[in-house]
Amino acid sequence: EIMAGILEKAGFTKGETEDKSDLIILNTCAVRENAEDKVFGRIGELKWVKKDNPDAIVCVCGCMVQQKHIIEFILKTFTHVDLIFGTHNIPSLLEMLNDVVINKVRLVDVKSIPGEIVENLPSVRESKFKAFVNISYGCDKFCTYCIVPYTRGKERSRKMEDILKEVQELKNNNYQEVTLLGQNVDAYGKDFKGGTTFAKLLDEVAKIGIPRVRF
């Protein structure tokens, strides 16, 4: 939704099908191997788009490409992929696309260290009634079976006032449901070291008056 917001603000319009699109972005997940296999299949299917439209730009982003071996495999196997970028690079989407178009290069831009949280990025919501609201990014748990801390970085909470401002704007636009998102929502606010808790956040969000609050 944020990438769509950035692109539409820059003048892009949503394409209905791949063959009629000049820009295709695959946003990936790395939690399950089955999801990765599906992504590789989808990348392969997009090869014919480049044959019919050599100027089309094919991008792969998200958690999968935070892994070095995945980047190497994509670069070697799928020569029609023009841009690979990680979970922390989304605010620079337009700059990366400009580099690919102007310089005619294949670009890999994957930050291994997460940056600061960037607020006020535009967003195109997929629903007019339900909305996702990020409250934190990353995770500090490092469970033996989980790759999230390595792909999403350390735990970073959004400021409560920024979250409440976003929820209030949704309420003003007649949204009926918000889902608060985080890798580990119960850890919200612990990085602030000021007594901010997820329970306090839930209480403040509920006061805004949106009928349904999920997390």
Side-chain angles (χ1 to χ4, degrees):
E1 290 181 343
I2 290 174
M3 285 190 284
I6 292 172
L7 292 169
E8 291 196 12
K9 190 174 181 181
F12 285 80
T13 55
K14 187 175 180 180
E16 296 302 320
T17 58
E18 286 104 339
D19 60 315
K20 295 180 180 178
S21 300
D22 300 304
L23 172 65
I24 301 168
I25 302 176
L26 292 181
N27 191 17
T28 68
C29 174
V31 174
R32 295 175 178 85
E33 187 175 2
N34 184 47
E36 295 188 4
D37 291 339
K38 286 184 178 180
V39 170
F40 291 139
R42 288 293 289 122
I43 297 174
E45 291 170 8
L46 293 174
K47 190 173 184 179
W48 62 268
V49 174
K50 288 284 278 192
K51 283 185 176 180
D52 293 341
N53 181 10
D55 292 327
I57 299 172
V58 177
C59 313
V60 183
C61 68
C63 289
M64 257 181 73
V65 296
Q66 294 287 147
Q67 305 167 88
K68 184 179 178 182
H69 71 282
I70 296 291
I71 295 174
E72 293 172 347
F73 180 76
I74 291 174
L75 288 174
K76 180 180 178 181
T77 309
F78 304 106
T79 56
H80 56 288
V81 173
D82 302 289
L83 172 61
I84 299 172
F85 60 97
T87 59
H88 316 304
N89 302 76
I90 290 175
S92 304
L93 177 57
L94 295 179
E95 290 89 339
M96 292 184 291
L97 289 173
N98 186 68
D99 205 11
V100 171
V101 172
I102 299 299
N103 297 320
K104 304 292 184 184
V105 294
R106 299 179 79 194
L107 178 64
V108 177
D109 196 346
V110 179
K111 291 181 183 177
S112 58
I113 301 175
E116 296 300 315
I117 294 174
V118 179
E119 293 290 349
N120 301 314
L121 291 173
S123 179
V124 176
R125 306 281 182 180
E126 291 190 0
S127 168
K128 294 183 179 180
F129 310 102
K130 301 187 291 184
F132 295 111
V133 176
N134 286 306
I135 66 169
S136 64
Y137 301 90
C139 185
D140 290 344
K141 295 297 183 185
F142 289 92
C143 300
T144 54
Y145 58 84
C146 183
I147 199 172
V148 165
Y150 302 97
T151 59
R152 301 294 288 181
K154 66 179 183 179
E155 215 157 63
R156 288 125 38 232
S157 300
R158 290 179 69 194
K159 293 179 181 178
M160 188 180 294
E161 56 262 35
D162 291 325
I163 296 170
L164 296 179
K165 179 183 176 182
E166 184 175 347
V167 175
Q168 182 64 59
E169 289 174 351
L170 291 166
K171 171 74 161 45
N172 295 344
N173 287 309
N174 298 315
Y175 276 77
Q176 299 298 301
E177 177 179 308
V178 295
T179 302
L180 306 179
L181 294 180
Q183 300 294 335
N184 180 16
V185 291
D186 195 45
Y188 173 79
K190 290 182 179 178
D191 49 325
F192 292 149
K193 297 179 173 60
T196 302
T197 65
F198 180 54
K200 175 65 174 174
L201 175 66
L202 272 180
D203 192 39
E204 294 300 317
V205 169
K207 289 177 183 177
I208 291 174
I210 285 187
R212 292 184 293 277
V213 179
R214 301 178 184 273
F215 58 89

